[in-house]
């Protein structure tokens, strides 16, 4: 039984999310006019980027809603983050947000 538990733990280890928080950007928040200043002061992004900077080997995972709109939203957010100085290799786009009206932000190993 211990071997099975260890096996399962190791299988999911690469997807470990640091901390217990997951940050969110809602579609309503994103519908506002966007510019660099707004993104820098957006609370969820500030917290996620702050944690990301503390963990140099980590990535920012953007879990977005499915469909074309979700993909476009995630790609636009990714483009903004790169324009503001976050290396694109540290951003991972993942379909499957828990709700259709939000992007979840997680810092992962």
């Amino acid at each position: 039984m211990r071997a099975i538990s260890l096996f399962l733990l190791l299988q999911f280890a690469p997807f470990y999310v640091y901390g217990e928080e997951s940050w969110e950007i809602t579609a309503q928040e994103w519908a506002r006019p966007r510019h660099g200043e707004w993104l820098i002061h957006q609370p969820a992004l500030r917290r996620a980027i702050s944690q990301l900077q503390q963990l140099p080997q980590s990535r920012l995972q953007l879990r977005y809603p499915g469909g074309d709109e979700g993909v476009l939203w995630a790609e636009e957010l990714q483009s903004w983050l790169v324009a503001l100085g976050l290396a694109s290799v540290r951003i991972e786009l993942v379909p499957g947000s828990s709700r259709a009206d939000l992007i979840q932000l997680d810092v992962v190993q």
Side-chain angles (χ1 to χ4, degrees):
M1 188 65 155
R2 291 177 104 190
I4 292 172
S5 297
L6 181 59
F7 174 76
L8 290 174
L9 178 64
L10 291 174
Q11 287 290 61
F12 294 108
F15 302 106
Y16 178 74
V17 177
Y18 288 95
E20 297 178 15
E21 254 185 297
S22 180
W23 302 277
E24 301 173 344
I25 298 176
T26 66
Q28 183 178 10
E29 291 172 317
W30 194 252
R32 296 179 185 166
R34 289 173 294 287
H35 48 80
E37 184 80 17
W38 179 83
L39 277 130
I40 290 170
H41 291 98
Q42 205 286 334
L45 282 173
R46 284 183 67 138
R47 290 183 192 116
I49 297 300
S50 175
Q51 187 172 9
L52 187 72
Q53 290 174 333
Q54 294 174 25
L55 302 163
Q57 300 301 318
S58 62
R59 296 179 319 279
L60 180 61
Q61 189 176 76
L62 306 178
R63 187 169 300 276
Y64 61 91
D68 291 341
E69 283 186 37
V71 171
L72 291 172
W73 182 9
E75 288 176 349
E76 182 181 0
L77 176 54
Q78 179 183 32
S79 295
W80 272 107
L81 292 170
V82 170
L84 291 171
L86 182 60
S88 62
V89 297
R90 296 197 68 196
I91 304 170
E92 180 181 3
L93 302 181
V94 179
S97 174
S98 63
R99 291 187 359 218
D101 66 339
L102 64 84
I103 286 184
Q104 293 168 256
L105 309 167
D106 294 303
V107 176
V108 298
Q109 179 66 28

